[in-house]
Amino acid sequence: MSEKNSEQRFPDERIVDIDLTKELSDSFLEYSYSVIYSRALPDARDGLKPVQRRIIYQMGEMGLRPDRGHVKSARVSGEVMGKLHPHGDGAIYDAMVRMAQPFTLRVPLIDGHGNFGSLDDGPAAARYTETRLAPAALLMNESLDEDVVDFKPNYDAQLSEPEVLPAAFPNLLVNGSSGIAVGMATNMAPHNMREVIAAAIALLNNTKLESEDLMKYIPGPDLPTGGVIVGTEGIREAYMTGRGSFKTRARVTIESVSPRKLALVVTELPYLVGPERVIEKIKDGVNSKKLQGISDVIDLTDRNNGLKLVIELKTGFDPNTVLELLYRFTPLEDSFSINNVALVEGKPETLDLRDLLGVYLAHRIVVTKRRTENRLGKKQARLHLVEGLLKAILNIDEVIKIIRNANEVDDARTKLMKKWSLSELQAEYILELRLRRLTKFSKLELETESKELAKEIADLKKILGSEKVLRDLVTKELQDVSDKYGDDRRTTIVDEASEVKPVSAAKAAAVDAQLADSPCFIVLTASGQVQRTLTEPTPLAKRKKHDAIRAVIASTTRSDIGFLSSDGVMHRVHASDIPSSEGAFEASSSVAVAEFLGLAKNVKVLGAFELTESTVIAMGTKDGVVKRLTADFQPKAEFEVISLKPGDEVVGASVSDDDHELIFITDDAQLVRFDASLVRPLGRGAAGMAGMKISSGARAIFFTSIKPSKTTLVLTAANNSESLGATDPGSVKISEIAEFPAKGRATGGVRAHKFIRDENQIYFAYVGEQPILAHTSSGKVLELENKLAKRDASGTPISATIFSAGRA
């Protein structure tokens, strides 16, 4: 189409030639400016982005205070979008949700009701949730009606909105911020309110302080989800320059989740890391062979008890090594990059710690000063009216006469002003006066109010007239906020820790997470305490609780230890899982073996054994059955080692060699000893053979396998079977083993104790090397006479009931 034809067809068309490069440049700059100043970056004074500021301001205008009911979030989004922020309700609701999440902000500004999301899941739609201002948000809007900040027209110039909120606390540092603009971004970590306000007050009182000095008050970020910050160098760099990074780790403890299973229990995660993400990474690591020693991950997180992840470990793996691998390959360790970019006087700047506090304090001083000026003006205006009213009351008859004789209101106003030198405002106020204010009581009220107003005006002028008084007021208000809204630090800061460097999957598979195979000793006391020690127990100069030894096993941390219980079950335990002490045996840090194994109350542990191919164990039962067990140990946590008849139970068990003797002692004071070689070792399923012929109504109470020597002693304690509990200690007798002749297997034995007075039973017996150490039920040492007696002699009275005995 020719140019002439085009003009004829489109007479109103106007085509302008433009430079495409210049147009793109101008448009992009305009877009960039809008994103930077109107959307993505927070203001350094109140720490809010425009959408956040508009939400808090509009909710304040709607009266959604903490003491009022919640309203639908969709209603708030609509109000904000329609009046102040025409950028879509999605962006408004997202910002509202973030301000309501306690795991995102250190001090939430919105009180949300309903599903506002979690670290792993998003929130429900705005039509399903409800919202109102949180108490801290009132501090952001405080004194907004007292001309403390400038207002500007909204997007369509129909309404006005504040350029910045008064912000009674340093919100930018306390809650942090994040945003991506064009060509720049901000990422600021939350901090503890008490620490931030303490630093602000210090800077307010001493403006010469630098960022390094302020770090004495703010040691580092305080994240909403707690956790542990590792290293302070990155924090220091961020506080000094405005840019830096630091590492955060989950708070993890090593706990026993069952009697024989250890676990890593996670109660706090790094900032903005959710438990589902951690679990997914752990599963990926286990499947790819990057992580070793993990048997299961259980999420016990709930609303009442908070976060709890239980990472169960396989037997024989070092918890600390597994934890180091978890730090490498899962979000249990994360990094946070600080980039303190904020708007200062409308321009984006990178701020150090001192600048962040300085900008906020300058804002608070201006807010406090403008609020004081506003209040002073109102007080002075009120005092002006009160003074005029007092003049009218003192001359009320003349005032009434002037008003009645005046033809018009203007005439009355003029005469009043001329008569008593009143201002137009005072005269107008008098003309509108109600007759009930003319009483004497009203005069007293006005005089009192006049004095109070004069005093308040003097105080306000004092604030405005002194920079020091103004700063003291700001300090007091900040301290009041800290006292009311501040709380304790949640995040722990660790100065130094071994750096966990990332490794490849191939190297990770080669990392040995199992415990080092180092020598150790397993100590089982006569009173049922167990502990793993680094050194072998030695004789003590002074006797202590639970120090009589039943068994000491020289082993290694990768070995398996078996505990045989009275129900004929062997409990296999990895040596590394047994609680340990740094050196020798310590009763205070040992554990009850029955509790450690999770046994029933009526089941007793009779001995501890290293489960090797050469171990032969002899055991005797209540009914006199004896069995020597070959090294037939199943690779299970629990397995039977003897087939017991109904009602029968094992009463003793010991390592047994062919040159040993097997000894039974019954409650009717009979003892039998015979060669261990007479009992052929059998497998686990065997029931054993007759070891002792026991009288009707009697039962065996003690069994052992021992190599007798000149120092082997027999201890028996007798009392009355009808006595209650431990009320009858009875008598005790100690004899040499040589006093008892050896007999054959399955015989009746010989008398081991002569009953006296009301004694009719042996309630405790023990055979071992001297010196023998006896304990009461509480583990206290029981003093015994060293005098030896004949085998069928009677015993000597004792002060307390014997509960356990062993070698010293």
Side-chain angles (χ1 to χ4, degrees):
M1 183 183 296
S2 65
E3 184 177 341
K4 182 177 180 180
N5 291 336
S6 176
E7 290 178 358
Q8 292 175 350
R9 187 171 179 181
F10 305 106
D12 297 330
E13 185 178 62
R14 183 164 172 260
I15 299 175
V16 179
D17 291 330
I18 60 172
D19 183 7
L20 184 60
T21 303
K22 183 177 183 302
E23 178 64 23
L24 287 173
S25 175
D26 292 345
S27 298
F28 183 75
L29 285 175
E30 190 173 329
Y31 164 74
S32 301
Y33 182 89
S34 173
V35 172
I36 291 171
Y37 297 97
S38 302
R39 300 187 74 169
L41 298 184
D43 193 297
R45 293 171 292 179
D46 61 6
L48 297 174
K49 300 177 188 179
V51 64
Q52 295 172 326
R53 185 179 304 112
R54 288 163 179 165
I55 291 170
I56 293 175
Y57 169 70
Q58 188 59 42
M59 289 180 71
E61 291 294 293
M62 295 170 66
L64 303 180
R65 299 172 55 85
D67 55 353
R68 306 282 178 84
H70 294 82
V71 301
K72 284 291 183 183
S73 300
R75 177 184 168 192
V76 176
S77 298
E79 287 281 323
V80 174
M81 180 175 62
K83 294 183 178 180
L84 303 175
H85 195 77
H87 296 291
D89 58 341
I92 298 171
Y93 184 56
D94 287 345
M96 187 191 308
V97 165
R98 185 180 185 278
M99 289 192 291
Q101 292 174 334
F103 52 82
T104 301
L105 298 193
R106 187 62 178 80
V107 181
L109 301 176
I110 301 295
D111 177 12
H113 182 245
N115 178 14
F116 274 78
S118 67
L119 288 165
D120 295 303
D121 299 309
R127 61 184 178 274
Y128 298 121
T129 62
E130 297 178 337
T131 185
R132 65 183 178 188
L133 291 176
L138 298 182
L139 300 174
M140 302 299 295
N141 281 338
E142 191 177 64
S143 304
L144 200 54
D145 58 346
E146 295 186 276
D147 191 32
V148 293
V149 295
D150 293 333
F151 278 70
K152 63 180 180 181
N154 69 335
Y155 66 92
D156 61 0
Q158 298 296 312
L159 301 170
S160 62
E161 62 176 310
E163 292 183 354
V164 65
L165 294 184
F169 69 95
N171 178 61
L172 186 57
L173 269 170
V174 171
N175 279 325
S177 183
S178 64
I180 300 175
V182 178
M184 62 186 68
T186 184
N187 200 37
M188 304 178 68
H191 291 76
N192 183 272
M193 179 183 283
R194 289 177 181 170
E195 295 173 355
V196 171
I197 289 181
I201 292 174
L203 181 60
L204 192 62
N205 295 328
N206 183 3
T207 56
K208 295 181 180 180
L209 294 179
E210 298 296 334
S211 297
E212 188 172 3
D213 302 317
L214 296 172
M215 287 183 66
K216 297 176 182 177
Y217 303 93
I218 307 177
D222 186 22
L223 307 174
T225 53
V228 180
I229 292 178
V230 181
T232 57
E233 190 59 36
I235 298 173
R236 175 184 173 82
E237 182 182 357
Y239 287 165
M240 299 295 289
T241 66
R243 294 177 183 270
S245 65
F246 60 88
K247 288 186 177 181
T248 60
R249 286 182 175 179
R251 193 177 300 279
V252 185
T253 57
I254 301 172
E255 299 180 12
S256 296
V257 293
S258 68
R260 287 173 283 169
K261 185 178 285 291
L262 290 177
L264 301 173
V265 179
V266 182
T267 54
E268 295 175 6
L269 288 173
Y271 186 42
L272 300 180
V273 173
E276 290 183 10
R277 178 181 161 200
V278 173
I279 294 173
E280 182 181 355
K281 289 293 184 181
I282 290 175
K283 290 181 178 179
D284 291 343
V286 171
N287 293 333
S288 62
K289 308 300 183 184
K290 294 180 182 178
L291 299 178
Q292 303 178 38
I294 297 174
S295 63
D296 195 9
V297 182
I298 304 172
D299 187 2
L300 300 179
T301 304
D302 59 39
R303 293 183 181 271
N304 296 326
N305 301 314
L307 175 73
K308 188 173 184 180
L309 286 181
V310 180
I311 305 171
E312 294 186 353
L313 304 181
K314 295 178 180 177
T315 299
F317 283 82
D318 184 3
N320 293 307
T321 304
V322 176
L323 183 57
E324 292 297 305
L325 292 173
L326 286 169
Y327 285 149
R328 286 191 178 106
F329 296 109
T330 71
L332 289 185
E333 179 178 278
D334 200 8
S335 61
F336 187 96
S337 297
I338 297 177
N339 189 20
N340 295 334
V341 177
L343 296 177
V344 180
E345 296 181 358
K347 298 179 181 179
E349 293 185 13
T350 302
L351 306 172
D352 60 19
L353 181 60
R354 187 188 185 283
D355 292 338
L356 286 168
L357 289 172
V359 171
Y360 169 75
L361 289 174
H363 171 60
R364 276 310 291 178
I365 289 173
V366 170
V367 167
T368 307
K369 189 174 182 178
R370 288 181 61 167
R371 183 189 65 201
T372 305
E373 290 172 344
N374 181 272
R375 291 177 180 177
L376 177 62
K378 290 180 178 179
K379 298 293 181 184
Q380 288 176 332
R382 176 59 184 169
L383 180 61
H384 183 63
L385 296 177
V386 170
E387 289 174 344
L389 198 53
L390 281 171
K391 290 180 182 180
I393 290 177
L394 290 174
N395 303 279
I396 190 62
D397 293 334
E398 287 189 64
V399 169
I400 293 174
K401 183 177 180 181
I402 291 173
I403 295 173
R404 290 187 65 182
N405 293 334
N407 295 325
E408 294 180 358
V409 174
D410 290 341
D411 184 32
R413 184 188 305 113
T414 302
K415 290 181 179 179
L416 289 174
M417 292 169 60
K418 184 177 180 181
K419 179 70 175 179
W420 288 287
S421 302
L422 300 175
S423 67
E424 186 176 350
L425 286 174
Q426 288 175 323
E428 185 67 31
Y429 190 66
I430 291 170
L431 289 172
E432 295 177 357
L433 182 67
R434 294 184 178 183
L435 292 177
R436 65 181 181 182
R437 296 295 305 274
L438 304 180
T439 63
K440 291 183 179 180
F441 184 70
S442 295
K443 178 185 176 184
L444 294 175
E445 283 182 343
L446 290 172
E447 289 175 344
T448 302
E449 184 182 0
S450 176
K451 292 178 182 179
E452 291 177 353
L453 287 170
K455 182 179 181 303
E456 291 173 355
I457 289 170
D459 292 339
L460 293 172
K461 286 183 176 180
K462 185 178 179 181
I463 294 171
L464 295 173
S466 171
E467 186 73 17
K468 182 180 183 304
V469 177
L470 179 62
R471 289 176 178 269
D472 289 345
L473 178 59
V474 174
T475 298
K476 180 182 180 303
E477 290 177 349
L478 284 172
Q479 189 60 54
D480 290 343
V481 171
S482 176
D483 295 340
K484 185 175 181 180
Y485 295 95
D487 58 5
D488 295 333
R489 167 172 280 276
R490 299 176 188 173
T491 303
T492 304
I493 300 177
V494 181
D495 286 336
E496 295 181 3
S498 57
E499 184 179 0
V500 181
K501 296 181 180 179
V503 297
S504 64
K507 289 184 178 180
V511 173
D512 189 2
Q514 293 191 21
L515 287 167
D517 197 17
S518 55
C520 66
F521 294 88
I522 307 301
V523 181
L524 177 64
T525 70
S527 56
Q529 299 292 117
V530 67
Q531 190 173 79
R532 173 165 53 93
T533 67
L534 298 181
T535 59
E536 187 174 9
T538 56
L540 301 176
K542 185 179 180 181
R543 304 262 53 108
K544 298 180 179 179
K545 285 185 176 182
H546 306 292
D547 60 356
I549 304 300
R550 177 177 295 173
V552 176
I553 302 173
S555 184
T556 63
T557 52
R558 288 191 183 178
S559 300
D560 283 344
I561 306 298
F563 292 93
L564 182 59
S565 57
S566 58
D567 55 359
V569 175
M570 184 70 76
H571 304 266
R572 182 191 291 269
V573 175
H574 202 277
S576 62
D577 291 338
I578 298 174
S580 65
S581 66
E582 295 297 327
F585 178 81
E586 298 176 4
S588 59
S589 57
S590 63
V591 296
V593 66
E595 181 180 336
F596 174 68
L597 297 175
L599 302 182
K601 290 184 178 181
N602 60 338
V603 179
K604 300 178 181 179
V605 173
L606 304 175
F609 312 92
E610 186 174 24
L611 303 183
T612 65
E613 295 180 355
S614 60
T615 302
V616 177
I617 301 172
M619 61 196 82
T621 75
K622 179 177 67 173
D623 292 341
V625 175
V626 66
K627 177 180 178 180
R628 292 180 73 205
L629 174 70
T630 60
D632 182 15
F633 306 122
Q634 283 190 314
K636 295 181 179 180
E638 297 177 356
F639 53 92
E640 288 189 356
V641 293
I642 184 173
S643 179
L644 294 172
K645 292 182 179 180
D648 200 4
E649 64 177 346
V650 182
V651 296
S654 305
V655 174
S656 180
D657 296 331
D658 286 342
D659 59 350
H660 281 198
E661 286 187 358
L662 306 182
I663 300 173
F664 276 98
I665 300 177
T666 63
D667 62 353
D668 61 349
Q670 297 297 308
L671 181 148
V672 68
R673 52 184 287 211
F674 54 91
D675 291 339
S677 59
L678 298 175
V679 181
R680 178 170 54 88
L682 302 172
R684 289 180 295 103
M689 60 185 70
M692 182 181 186
K693 186 177 180 181
I694 299 178
S695 302
S696 177
R699 64 186 182 92
I701 63 170
F702 177 81
F703 171 84
T704 190
S705 176
I706 192 171
K707 186 176 182 179
S709 67
K710 293 181 180 180
T711 58
T712 304
L713 302 179
V714 178
L715 180 149
T716 52
N719 70 357
N720 191 293
S721 60
E722 296 181 358
S723 60
L724 297 176
T727 58
D728 180 14
S731 64
V732 65
K733 180 182 74 71
I734 300 177
S735 306
E736 292 181 340
I737 190 66
E739 290 283 331
F740 302 87
K743 300 186 73 174
R745 181 179 64 84
T747 59
V750 297
R751 189 167 71 172
H753 194 116
K754 181 181 179 182
F755 294 138
I756 58 174
R757 295 189 301 276
D758 295 330
E759 295 176 348
N760 64 358
Q761 70 167 358
I762 300 294
Y763 72 88
F764 183 84
Y766 175 78
V767 178
E769 298 299 318
Q770 66 177 354
I772 295 176
L773 201 62
H775 285 101
T776 65
S777 60
S778 63
K780 291 183 179 180
V781 178
L782 185 62
E783 298 295 336
L784 300 176
E785 293 185 9
N786 294 323
K787 183 179 178 181
L788 300 179
K790 296 295 182 179
R791 67 171 180 82
D792 59 348
S794 59
T796 57
I798 52 177
S799 59
T801 302
I802 298 177
F803 177 77
S804 62
R807 60 186 178 88

